[in-house]
PDB file of all heavy atoms in Angstrom:
ATOM      1  N   LEU I  73     102.369 121.146 165.941  1.00 98.00           N
ATOM      2  CA  LEU I  73     103.343 120.581 164.988  1.00 98.00           C
ATOM      3  C   LEU I  73     104.710 120.342 165.645  1.00 98.00           C
ATOM      4  O   LEU I  73     105.717 120.186 164.956  1.00 98.00           O
ATOM      5  CB  LEU I  73     103.518 121.520 163.781  1.00 98.00           C
ATOM      6  CG  LEU I  73     102.263 121.837 162.954  1.00 98.00           C
ATOM      7  CD1 LEU I  73     102.619 122.745 161.786  1.00 98.00           C
ATOM      8  CD2 LEU I  73     101.604 120.558 162.446  1.00 98.00           C
ATOM      9  N   GLU I  74     104.740 120.302 166.989  1.00 98.00           N
ATOM     10  CA  GLU I  74     106.015 120.178 167.709  1.00 98.00           C
ATOM     11  C   GLU I  74     106.791 118.926 167.308  1.00 98.00           C
ATOM     12  O   GLU I  74     108.032 118.918 167.368  1.00 98.00           O
ATOM     13  CB  GLU I  74     105.761 120.157 169.217  1.00 98.00           C
ATOM     14  CG  GLU I  74     105.243 121.478 169.783  1.00 98.00           C
ATOM     15  CD  GLU I  74     103.725 121.606 169.724  1.00 98.00           C
ATOM     16  OE1 GLU I  74     103.064 120.774 169.054  1.00 98.00           O
ATOM     17  OE2 GLU I  74     103.189 122.538 170.344  1.00 98.00           O
ATOM     18  N   ASN I  75     106.102 117.891 166.915  1.00 98.00           N
ATOM     19  CA  ASN I  75     106.768 116.634 166.530  1.00 98.00           C
ATOM     20  C   ASN I  75     106.541 116.297 165.054  1.00 98.00           C
ATOM     21  O   ASN I  75     106.594 115.134 164.651  1.00 98.00           O
ATOM     22  CB  ASN I  75     106.257 115.493 167.412  1.00 98.00           C
ATOM     23  CG  ASN I  75     106.562 115.732 168.878  1.00 98.00           C
ATOM     24  OD1 ASN I  75     107.717 115.896 169.268  1.00 98.00           O
ATOM     25  ND2 ASN I  75     105.514 115.761 169.702  1.00 98.00           N
ATOM     26  N   ALA I  76     106.304 117.333 164.281  1.00 98.00           N
ATOM     27  CA  ALA I  76     105.942 117.136 162.874  1.00 98.00           C
ATOM     28  C   ALA I  76     107.039 116.417 162.097  1.00 98.00           C
ATOM     29  O   ALA I  76     108.229 116.698 162.250  1.00 98.00           O
ATOM     30  CB  ALA I  76     105.652 118.487 162.225  1.00 98.00           C
ATOM     31  N   LYS I  77     106.601 115.468 161.266  1.00 98.00           N
ATOM     32  CA  LYS I  77     107.505 114.792 160.329  1.00 98.00           C
ATOM     33  C   LYS I  77     107.134 115.239 158.921  1.00 98.00           C
ATOM     34  O   LYS I  77     105.990 115.083 158.482  1.00 98.00           O
ATOM     35  CB  LYS I  77     107.364 113.276 160.454  1.00 98.00           C
ATOM     36  CG  LYS I  77     107.877 112.734 161.777  1.00 98.00           C
ATOM     37  CD  LYS I  77     107.745 111.214 161.838  1.00 98.00           C
ATOM     38  CE  LYS I  77     108.287 110.676 163.166  1.00 98.00           C
ATOM     39  NZ  LYS I  77     108.119 109.192 163.249  1.00 98.00           N
ATOM     40  N   ILE I  78     108.127 115.816 158.235  1.00 98.00           N
ATOM     41  CA  ILE I  78     107.881 116.342 156.895  1.00 98.00           C
ATOM     42  C   ILE I  78     107.946 115.213 155.867  1.00 98.00           C
ATOM     43  O   ILE I  78     108.945 114.495 155.784  1.00 98.00           O
ATOM     44  CB  ILE I  78     108.899 117.458 156.547  1.00 98.00           C
ATOM     45  CG1 ILE I  78     108.699 118.660 157.479  1.00 98.00           C
ATOM     46  CG2 ILE I  78     108.744 117.883 155.093  1.00 98.00           C
ATOM     47  CD1 ILE I  78     109.694 119.781 157.274  1.00 98.00           C
ATOM     48  N   VAL I  79     106.872 115.065 155.106  1.00 98.00           N
ATOM     49  CA  VAL I  79     106.826 114.069 154.035  1.00 98.00           C
ATOM     50  C   VAL I  79     107.410 114.655 152.753  1.00 98.00           C
ATOM     51  O   VAL I  79     108.174 114.006 152.049  1.00 98.00           O
ATOM     52  CB  VAL I  79     105.365 113.602 153.784  1.00 98.00           C
ATOM     53  CG1 VAL I  79     105.311 112.578 152.648  1.00 98.00           C
ATOM     54  CG2 VAL I  79     104.764 113.023 155.056  1.00 98.00           C
ATOM     55  N   ARG I  80     107.039 115.902 152.452  1.00 97.00           N
ATOM     56  CA  ARG I  80     107.573 116.616 151.281  1.00 97.00           C
ATOM     57  C   ARG I  80     107.991 118.000 151.735  1.00 97.00           C
ATOM     58  O   ARG I  80     107.219 118.703 152.410  1.00 97.00           O
ATOM     59  CB  ARG I  80     106.529 116.744 150.167  1.00 97.00           C
ATOM     60  CG  ARG I  80     105.896 115.444 149.727  1.00 97.00           C
ATOM     61  CD  ARG I  80     104.963 115.682 148.542  1.00 97.00           C
ATOM     62  NE  ARG I  80     104.033 114.570 148.384  1.00 97.00           N
ATOM     63  CZ  ARG I  80     103.637 114.087 147.214  1.00 97.00           C
ATOM     64  NH1 ARG I  80     104.081 114.629 146.104  1.00 97.00           N
ATOM     65  NH2 ARG I  80     102.793 113.077 147.151  1.00 97.00           N
ATOM     66  N   ASN I  81     109.180 118.402 151.364  1.00 97.00           N
ATOM     67  CA  ASN I  81     109.665 119.729 151.730  1.00 97.00           C
ATOM     68  C   ASN I  81     108.892 120.814 150.981  1.00 97.00           C
ATOM     69  O   ASN I  81     108.423 120.611 149.859  1.00 97.00           O
ATOM     70  CB  ASN I  81     111.147 119.882 151.387  1.00 97.00           C
ATOM     71  CG  ASN I  81     112.032 119.071 152.299  1.00 97.00           C
ATOM     72  OD1 ASN I  81     111.746 118.931 153.493  1.00 97.00           O
ATOM     73  ND2 ASN I  81     113.116 118.530 151.765  1.00 97.00           N
ATOM     74  N   ALA I  82     108.779 121.977 151.616  1.00 97.00           N
ATOM     75  CA  ALA I  82     108.278 123.158 150.927  1.00 97.00           C
ATOM     76  C   ALA I  82     109.314 123.583 149.881  1.00 97.00           C
ATOM     77  O   ALA I  82     110.509 123.348 150.054  1.00 97.00           O
ATOM     78  CB  ALA I  82     108.052 124.285 151.929  1.00 97.00           C
ATOM     79  N   TYR I  83     108.851 124.208 148.810  1.00 96.00           N
ATOM     80  CA  TYR I  83     109.802 124.693 147.797  1.00 96.00           C
ATOM     81  C   TYR I  83     109.176 125.828 146.996  1.00 96.00           C
ATOM     82  O   TYR I  83     107.953 125.992 146.954  1.00 96.00           O
ATOM     83  CB  TYR I  83     110.224 123.558 146.852  1.00 96.00           C
ATOM     84  CG  TYR I  83     109.104 122.932 146.044  1.00 96.00           C
ATOM     85  CD1 TYR I  83     108.701 123.478 144.820  1.00 96.00           C
ATOM     86  CD2 TYR I  83     108.434 121.790 146.503  1.00 96.00           C
ATOM     87  CE1 TYR I  83     107.684 122.910 144.083  1.00 96.00           C
ATOM     88  CE2 TYR I  83     107.400 121.217 145.768  1.00 96.00           C
ATOM     89  CZ  TYR I  83     107.033 121.784 144.547  1.00 96.00           C
ATOM     90  OH  TYR I  83     106.015 121.216 143.818  1.00 96.00           O
ATOM     91  N   ALA I  84     110.032 126.607 146.374  1.00 95.00           N
ATOM     92  CA  ALA I  84     109.594 127.600 145.392  1.00 95.00           C
ATOM     93  C   ALA I  84     109.836 127.016 144.012  1.00 95.00           C
ATOM     94  O   ALA I  84     110.716 126.169 143.840  1.00 95.00           O
ATOM     95  CB  ALA I  84     110.377 128.895 145.561  1.00 95.00           C
ATOM     96  N   ILE I  85     109.063 127.444 143.033  1.00 95.00           N
ATOM     97  CA  ILE I  85     109.269 126.981 141.662  1.00 95.00           C
ATOM     98  C   ILE I  85     109.269 128.179 140.717  1.00 95.00           C
ATOM     99  O   ILE I  85     108.368 129.016 140.756  1.00 95.00           O
ATOM    100  CB  ILE I  85     108.221 125.926 141.244  1.00 95.00           C
ATOM    101  CG1 ILE I  85     108.476 125.439 139.817  1.00 95.00           C
ATOM    102  CG2 ILE I  85     106.799 126.441 141.410  1.00 95.00           C
ATOM    103  CD1 ILE I  85     107.665 124.224 139.421  1.00 95.00           C
ATOM    104  N   GLU I  86     110.321 128.268 139.910  1.00 95.00           N
ATOM    105  CA  GLU I  86     110.425 129.279 138.862  1.00 95.00           C
ATOM    106  C   GLU I  86     110.041 128.650 137.535  1.00 95.00           C
ATOM    107  O   GLU I  86     110.323 127.473 137.297  1.00 95.00           O
ATOM    108  CB  GLU I  86     111.862 129.790 138.748  1.00 95.00           C
ATOM    109  CG  GLU I  86     112.288 130.783 139.791  1.00 95.00           C
ATOM    110  CD  GLU I  86     113.647 131.373 139.448  1.00 95.00           C
ATOM    111  OE1 GLU I  86     114.526 130.644 138.962  1.00 95.00           O
ATOM    112  OE2 GLU I  86     113.816 132.582 139.658  1.00 95.00           O
ATOM    113  N   TYR I  87     109.447 129.433 136.656  1.00 96.00           N
ATOM    114  CA  TYR I  87     109.025 128.893 135.363  1.00 96.00           C
ATOM    115  C   TYR I  87     108.860 130.031 134.357  1.00 96.00           C
ATOM    116  O   TYR I  87     108.721 131.195 134.725  1.00 96.00           O
ATOM    117  CB  TYR I  87     107.692 128.140 135.509  1.00 96.00           C
ATOM    118  CG  TYR I  87     106.583 128.989 136.109  1.00 96.00           C
ATOM    119  CD1 TYR I  87     105.668 129.657 135.306  1.00 96.00           C
ATOM    120  CD2 TYR I  87     106.472 129.137 137.496  1.00 96.00           C
ATOM    121  CE1 TYR I  87     104.678 130.451 135.854  1.00 96.00           C
ATOM    122  CE2 TYR I  87     105.485 129.924 138.056  1.00 96.00           C
ATOM    123  CZ  TYR I  87     104.581 130.581 137.220  1.00 96.00           C
ATOM    124  OH  TYR I  87     103.606 131.373 137.777  1.00 96.00           O
ATOM    125  N   ASP I  88     108.871 129.657 133.085  1.00 96.00           N
ATOM    126  CA  ASP I  88     108.672 130.620 132.007  1.00 96.00           C
ATOM    127  C   ASP I  88     107.180 130.759 131.707  1.00 96.00           C
ATOM    128  O   ASP I  88     106.427 129.781 131.735  1.00 96.00           O
ATOM    129  CB  ASP I  88     109.382 130.173 130.727  1.00 96.00           C
ATOM    130  CG  ASP I  88     110.900 130.203 130.853  1.00 96.00           C
ATOM    131  OD1 ASP I  88     111.400 130.863 131.782  1.00 96.00           O
ATOM    132  OD2 ASP I  88     111.578 129.569 130.016  1.00 96.00           O
ATOM    133  N   CYS I  89     106.761 131.980 131.413  1.00 96.00           N
ATOM    134  CA  CYS I  89     105.395 132.240 130.964  1.00 96.00           C
ATOM    135  C   CYS I  89     105.449 133.413 129.993  1.00 96.00           C
ATOM    136  O   CYS I  89     106.533 133.914 129.674  1.00 96.00           O
ATOM    137  CB  CYS I  89     104.481 132.548 132.154  1.00 96.00           C
ATOM    138  SG  CYS I  89     105.011 133.971 133.138  1.00 96.00           S
ATOM    139  N   ILE I  90     104.320 133.848 129.496  1.00 97.00           N
ATOM    140  CA  ILE I  90     104.319 134.919 128.503  1.00 97.00           C
ATOM    141  C   ILE I  90     103.840 136.241 129.084  1.00 97.00           C
ATOM    142  O   ILE I  90     103.203 136.274 130.145  1.00 97.00           O
ATOM    143  CB  ILE I  90     103.428 134.567 127.297  1.00 97.00           C
ATOM    144  CG1 ILE I  90     101.963 134.408 127.743  1.00 97.00           C
ATOM    145  CG2 ILE I  90     103.926 133.335 126.571  1.00 97.00           C
ATOM    146  CD1 ILE I  90     100.954 134.505 126.615  1.00 97.00           C
ATOM    147  N   ASN I  91     104.123 137.300 128.367  1.00 95.00           N
ATOM    148  CA  ASN I  91     103.461 138.577 128.598  1.00 95.00           C
ATOM    149  C   ASN I  91     102.092 138.472 127.927  1.00 95.00           C
ATOM    150  O   ASN I  91     101.996 138.409 126.700  1.00 95.00           O
ATOM    151  CB  ASN I  91     104.275 139.704 127.962  1.00 95.00           C
ATOM    152  CG  ASN I  91     103.577 141.051 128.068  1.00 95.00           C
ATOM    153  OD1 ASN I  91     102.449 141.136 128.558  1.00 95.00           O
ATOM    154  ND2 ASN I  91     104.223 142.097 127.598  1.00 95.00           N
ATOM    155  N   PRO I  92     100.999 138.430 128.705  1.00 96.00           N
ATOM    156  CA  PRO I  92      99.673 138.195 128.116  1.00 96.00           C
ATOM    157  C   PRO I  92      99.148 139.342 127.269  1.00 96.00           C
ATOM    158  O   PRO I  92      98.107 139.193 126.613  1.00 96.00           O
ATOM    159  CB  PRO I  92      98.784 137.939 129.337  1.00 96.00           C
ATOM    160  CG  PRO I  92      99.476 138.641 130.458  1.00 96.00           C
ATOM    161  CD  PRO I  92     100.945 138.536 130.173  1.00 96.00           C
ATOM    162  N   ASN I  93      99.833 140.488 127.280  1.00 94.00           N
ATOM    163  CA  ASN I  93      99.430 141.585 126.398  1.00 94.00           C
ATOM    164  C   ASN I  93      99.575 141.220 124.925  1.00 94.00           C
ATOM    165  O   ASN I  93      99.111 141.946 124.044  1.00 94.00           O
ATOM    166  CB  ASN I  93     100.262 142.844 126.679  1.00 94.00           C
ATOM    167  CG  ASN I  93      99.929 143.509 128.001  1.00 94.00           C
ATOM    168  OD1 ASN I  93     100.642 144.383 128.441  1.00 94.00           O
ATOM    169  ND2 ASN I  93      98.850 143.095 128.650  1.00 94.00           N
ATOM    170  N   GLN I  94     100.207 140.071 124.658  1.00 96.00           N
ATOM    171  CA  GLN I  94     100.379 139.606 123.278  1.00 96.00           C
ATOM    172  C   GLN I  94      99.162 138.839 122.769  1.00 96.00           C
ATOM    173  O   GLN I  94      99.155 138.347 121.646  1.00 96.00           O
ATOM    174  CB  GLN I  94     101.600 138.685 123.187  1.00 96.00           C
ATOM    175  CG  GLN I  94     102.896 139.354 123.602  1.00 96.00           C
ATOM    176  CD  GLN I  94     104.012 138.339 123.797  1.00 96.00           C
ATOM    177  OE1 GLN I  94     104.829 138.125 122.909  1.00 96.00           O
ATOM    178  NE2 GLN I  94     104.045 137.713 124.944  1.00 96.00           N
ATOM    179  N   LEU I  95      98.122 138.751 123.601  1.00 96.00           N
ATOM    180  CA  LEU I  95      96.939 137.964 123.260  1.00 96.00           C
ATOM    181  C   LEU I  95      95.755 138.858 122.906  1.00 96.00           C
ATOM    182  O   LEU I  95      95.605 139.968 123.436  1.00 96.00           O
ATOM    183  CB  LEU I  95      96.529 137.077 124.443  1.00 96.00           C
ATOM    184  CG  LEU I  95      97.548 136.054 124.930  1.00 96.00           C
ATOM    185  CD1 LEU I  95      97.052 135.413 126.218  1.00 96.00           C
ATOM    186  CD2 LEU I  95      97.813 134.993 123.867  1.00 96.00           C
ATOM    187  N   LYS I  96      94.897 138.335 122.042  1.00 95.00           N
ATOM    188  CA  LYS I  96      93.591 138.943 121.812  1.00 95.00           C
ATOM    189  C   LYS I  96      92.673 138.543 122.969  1.00 95.00           C
ATOM    190  O   LYS I  96      93.002 137.650 123.758  1.00 95.00           O
ATOM    191  CB  LYS I  96      92.990 138.426 120.502  1.00 95.00           C
ATOM    192  CG  LYS I  96      93.821 138.662 119.262  1.00 95.00           C
ATOM    193  CD  LYS I  96      93.156 138.010 118.059  1.00 95.00           C
ATOM    194  CE  LYS I  96      94.021 138.094 116.815  1.00 95.00           C
ATOM    195  NZ  LYS I  96      93.403 137.387 115.653  1.00 95.00           N
ATOM    196  N   ALA I  97      91.508 139.160 123.032  1.00 95.00           N
ATOM    197  CA  ALA I  97      90.542 138.785 124.070  1.00 95.00           C
ATOM    198  C   ALA I  97      90.049 137.353 123.890  1.00 95.00           C
ATOM    199  O   ALA I  97      89.522 136.746 124.822  1.00 95.00           O
ATOM    200  CB  ALA I  97      89.363 139.755 124.069  1.00 95.00           C
ATOM    201  N   SER I  98      90.221 136.798 122.694  1.00 97.00           N
ATOM    202  CA  SER I  98      89.851 135.403 122.429  1.00 97.00           C
ATOM    203  C   SER I  98      90.908 134.431 122.918  1.00 97.00           C
ATOM    204  O   SER I  98      90.730 133.217 122.832  1.00 97.00           O
ATOM    205  CB  SER I  98      89.647 135.201 120.926  1.00 97.00           C
ATOM    206  OG  SER I  98      90.873 135.425 120.230  1.00 97.00           O
ATOM    207  N   LEU I  99      92.040 134.951 123.432  1.00 98.00           N
ATOM    208  CA  LEU I  99      93.211 134.203 123.886  1.00 98.00           C
ATOM    209  C   LEU I  99      94.014 133.597 122.728  1.00 98.00           C
ATOM    210  O   LEU I  99      94.793 132.671 122.917  1.00 98.00           O
ATOM    211  CB  LEU I  99      92.836 133.121 124.923  1.00 98.00           C
ATOM    212  CG  LEU I  99      92.246 133.667 126.224  1.00 98.00           C
ATOM    213  CD1 LEU I  99      91.943 132.535 127.206  1.00 98.00           C
ATOM    214  CD2 LEU I  99      93.190 134.690 126.868  1.00 98.00           C
ATOM    215  N   GLU I 100      93.839 134.170 121.539  1.00 98.00           N
ATOM    216  CA  GLU I 100      94.699 133.843 120.406  1.00 98.00           C
ATOM    217  C   GLU I 100      95.810 134.878 120.339  1.00 98.00           C
ATOM    218  O   GLU I 100      95.593 136.065 120.598  1.00 98.00           O
ATOM    219  CB  GLU I 100      93.899 133.861 119.097  1.00 98.00           C
ATOM    220  CG  GLU I 100      94.726 133.450 117.885  1.00 98.00           C
ATOM    221  CD  GLU I 100      93.930 133.472 116.589  1.00 98.00           C
ATOM    222  OE1 GLU I 100      92.826 134.073 116.574  1.00 98.00           O
ATOM    223  OE2 GLU I 100      94.388 132.893 115.583  1.00 98.00           O
ATOM    224  N   PHE I 101      97.011 134.434 119.981  1.00 97.00           N
ATOM    225  CA  PHE I 101      98.134 135.357 119.870  1.00 97.00           C
ATOM    226  C   PHE I 101      97.906 136.345 118.722  1.00 97.00           C
ATOM    227  O   PHE I 101      97.373 135.978 117.664  1.00 97.00           O
ATOM    228  CB  PHE I 101      99.436 134.597 119.639  1.00 97.00           C
ATOM    229  CG  PHE I 101     100.062 134.066 120.893  1.00 97.00           C
ATOM    230  CD1 PHE I 101      99.646 132.863 121.423  1.00 97.00           C
ATOM    231  CD2 PHE I 101     101.055 134.774 121.560  1.00 97.00           C
ATOM    232  CE1 PHE I 101     100.204 132.361 122.593  1.00 97.00           C
ATOM    233  CE2 PHE I 101     101.628 134.292 122.727  1.00 97.00           C
ATOM    234  CZ  PHE I 101     101.203 133.079 123.247  1.00 97.00           C
ATOM    235  N   LEU I 102      98.320 137.576 118.941  1.00 95.00           N
ATOM    236  CA  LEU I 102      98.204 138.594 117.905  1.00 95.00           C
ATOM    237  C   LEU I 102      99.110 138.281 116.713  1.00 95.00           C
ATOM    238  O   LEU I 102      98.740 138.493 115.564  1.00 95.00           O
ATOM    239  CB  LEU I 102      98.577 139.967 118.481  1.00 95.00           C
ATOM    240  CG  LEU I 102      97.593 140.584 119.485  1.00 95.00           C
ATOM    241  CD1 LEU I 102      98.272 141.670 120.303  1.00 95.00           C
ATOM    242  CD2 LEU I 102      96.378 141.152 118.760  1.00 95.00           C
ATOM    243  N   LYS I 103     100.292 137.740 117.008  1.00 93.00           N
ATOM    244  CA  LYS I 103     101.312 137.570 115.967  1.00 93.00           C
ATOM    245  C   LYS I 103     101.267 136.228 115.258  1.00 93.00           C
ATOM    246  O   LYS I 103     101.811 136.095 114.164  1.00 93.00           O
ATOM    247  CB  LYS I 103     102.714 137.746 116.576  1.00 93.00           C
ATOM    248  CG  LYS I 103     103.037 139.159 117.037  1.00 93.00           C
ATOM    249  CD  LYS I 103     104.457 139.215 117.579  1.00 93.00           C
ATOM    250  CE  LYS I 103     104.839 140.616 118.014  1.00 93.00           C
ATOM    251  NZ  LYS I 103     106.217 140.661 118.568  1.00 93.00           N
ATOM    252  N   VAL I 104     100.682 135.212 115.886  1.00 97.00           N
ATOM    253  CA  VAL I 104     100.710 133.859 115.306  1.00 97.00           C
ATOM    254  C   VAL I 104      99.280 133.352 115.128  1.00 97.00           C
ATOM    255  O   VAL I 104      98.588 133.064 116.102  1.00 97.00           O
ATOM    256  CB  VAL I 104     101.518 132.887 116.196  1.00 97.00           C
ATOM    257  CG1 VAL I 104     101.642 131.526 115.497  1.00 97.00           C
ATOM    258  CG2 VAL I 104     102.901 133.439 116.511  1.00 97.00           C
ATOM    259  N   ASP I 105      98.865 133.246 113.901  1.00 97.00           N
ATOM    260  CA  ASP I 105      97.507 132.805 113.582  1.00 97.00           C
ATOM    261  C   ASP I 105      97.307 131.352 114.000  1.00 97.00           C
ATOM    262  O   ASP I 105      98.086 130.475 113.635  1.00 97.00           O
ATOM    263  CB  ASP I 105      97.287 132.952 112.070  1.00 97.00           C
ATOM    264  CG  ASP I 105      95.850 132.680 111.674  1.00 97.00           C
ATOM    265  OD1 ASP I 105      94.947 133.037 112.448  1.00 97.00           O
ATOM    266  OD2 ASP I 105      95.631 132.095 110.596  1.00 97.00           O
ATOM    267  N   GLY I 106      96.240 131.124 114.775  1.00 98.00           N
ATOM    268  CA  GLY I 106      95.925 129.756 115.189  1.00 98.00           C
ATOM    269  C   GLY I 106      96.613 129.300 116.458  1.00 98.00           C
ATOM    270  O   GLY I 106      96.421 128.159 116.884  1.00 98.00           O
ATOM    271  N   LEU I 107      97.380 130.180 117.096  1.00 98.00           N
ATOM    272  CA  LEU I 107      98.058 129.832 118.347  1.00 98.00           C
ATOM    273  C   LEU I 107      97.310 130.485 119.510  1.00 98.00           C
ATOM    274  O   LEU I 107      97.190 131.705 119.581  1.00 98.00           O
ATOM    275  CB  LEU I 107      99.510 130.298 118.332  1.00 98.00           C
ATOM    276  CG  LEU I 107     100.354 129.929 119.565  1.00 98.00           C
ATOM    277  CD1 LEU I 107     100.457 128.418 119.719  1.00 98.00           C
ATOM    278  CD2 LEU I 107     101.752 130.550 119.464  1.00 98.00           C
ATOM    279  N   PHE I 108      96.789 129.652 120.410  1.00 98.00           N
ATOM    280  CA  PHE I 108      96.042 130.103 121.586  1.00 98.00           C
ATOM    281  C   PHE I 108      96.802 129.695 122.852  1.00 98.00           C
ATOM    282  O   PHE I 108      97.691 128.839 122.801  1.00 98.00           O
ATOM    283  CB  PHE I 108      94.646 129.469 121.613  1.00 98.00           C
ATOM    284  CG  PHE I 108      93.746 129.880 120.493  1.00 98.00           C
ATOM    285  CD1 PHE I 108      93.890 129.332 119.221  1.00 98.00           C
ATOM    286  CD2 PHE I 108      92.744 130.812 120.704  1.00 98.00           C
ATOM    287  CE1 PHE I 108      93.045 129.705 118.173  1.00 98.00           C
ATOM    288  CE2 PHE I 108      91.887 131.187 119.666  1.00 98.00           C
ATOM    289  CZ  PHE I 108      92.045 130.634 118.401  1.00 98.00           C
ATOM    290  N   SER I 109      96.423 130.278 123.982  1.00 98.00           N
ATOM    291  CA  SER I 109      97.048 129.846 125.237  1.00 98.00           C
ATOM    292  C   SER I 109      96.123 130.107 126.416  1.00 98.00           C
ATOM    293  O   SER I 109      95.216 130.937 126.344  1.00 98.00           O
ATOM    294  CB  SER I 109      98.393 130.554 125.454  1.00 98.00           C
ATOM    295  OG  SER I 109      98.205 131.941 125.637  1.00 98.00           O
ATOM    296  N   GLY I 110      96.374 129.377 127.503  1.00 98.00           N
ATOM    297  CA  GLY I 110      95.554 129.540 128.694  1.00 98.00           C
ATOM    298  C   GLY I 110      96.282 129.087 129.939  1.00 98.00           C
ATOM    299  O   GLY I 110      97.224 128.296 129.873  1.00 98.00           O
ATOM    300  N   GLY I 111      95.863 129.587 131.096  1.00 96.00           N
ATOM    301  CA  GLY I 111      96.399 129.131 132.374  1.00 96.00           C
ATOM    302  C   GLY I 111      97.607 129.899 132.851  1.00 96.00           C
ATOM    303  O   GLY I 111      97.836 131.047 132.468  1.00 96.00           O
ATOM    304  N   GLN I 112      98.413 129.253 133.699  1.00 96.00           N
ATOM    305  CA  GLN I 112      99.565 129.932 134.295  1.00 96.00           C
ATOM    306  C   GLN I 112     100.588 130.359 133.251  1.00 96.00           C
ATOM    307  O   GLN I 112     101.369 131.276 133.482  1.00 96.00           O
ATOM    308  CB  GLN I 112     100.203 129.043 135.366  1.00 96.00           C
ATOM    309  CG  GLN I 112      99.338 128.974 136.623  1.00 96.00           C
ATOM    310  CD  GLN I 112     100.021 128.292 137.791  1.00 96.00           C
ATOM    311  OE1 GLN I 112      99.744 127.144 138.085  1.00 96.00           O
ATOM    312  NE2 GLN I 112     100.899 128.990 138.467  1.00 96.00           N
ATOM    313  N   PHE I 113     100.566 129.729 132.105  1.00 97.00           N
ATOM    314  CA  PHE I 113     101.410 130.154 130.986  1.00 97.00           C
ATOM    315  C   PHE I 113     101.084 131.590 130.578  1.00 97.00           C
ATOM    316  O   PHE I 113     101.931 132.304 130.046  1.00 97.00           O
ATOM    317  CB  PHE I 113     101.198 129.201 129.804  1.00 97.00           C
ATOM    318  CG  PHE I 113     101.981 129.551 128.572  1.00 97.00           C
ATOM    319  CD1 PHE I 113     103.361 129.380 128.527  1.00 97.00           C
ATOM    320  CD2 PHE I 113     101.345 130.049 127.447  1.00 97.00           C
ATOM    321  CE1 PHE I 113     104.093 129.706 127.388  1.00 97.00           C
ATOM    322  CE2 PHE I 113     102.062 130.364 126.300  1.00 97.00           C
ATOM    323  CZ  PHE I 113     103.439 130.193 126.274  1.00 97.00           C
TER     324      PHE I 113
END
């Protein structure tokens, strides 16, 4: 990589997500009926 040309810089990304302890095993929220979630959220 001695002559490497960077097309896109490396970066870190911060984001909001939830405490998953608020979910049932079905991935529905304990507190909000009908609200589900999945993934990095």
Side-chain angles (χ1 to χ4, degrees):
L73 301 181
E74 292 88 349
N75 299 302
K77 292 181 179 178
I78 295 177
V79 179
R80 306 185 199 218
N81 289 324
Y83 62 86
I85 181 169
E86 282 189 321
Y87 56 95
D88 292 343
C89 59
I90 63 161
N91 175 356
N93 289 169
Q94 300 167 98
L95 300 172
K96 302 176 186 177
S98 64
L99 297 182
E100 183 180 15
F101 277 84
L102 290 161
K103 292 182 178 179
V104 185
D105 187 36
L107 183 62
F108 295 78
S109 65
Q112 287 189 258
F113 178 71

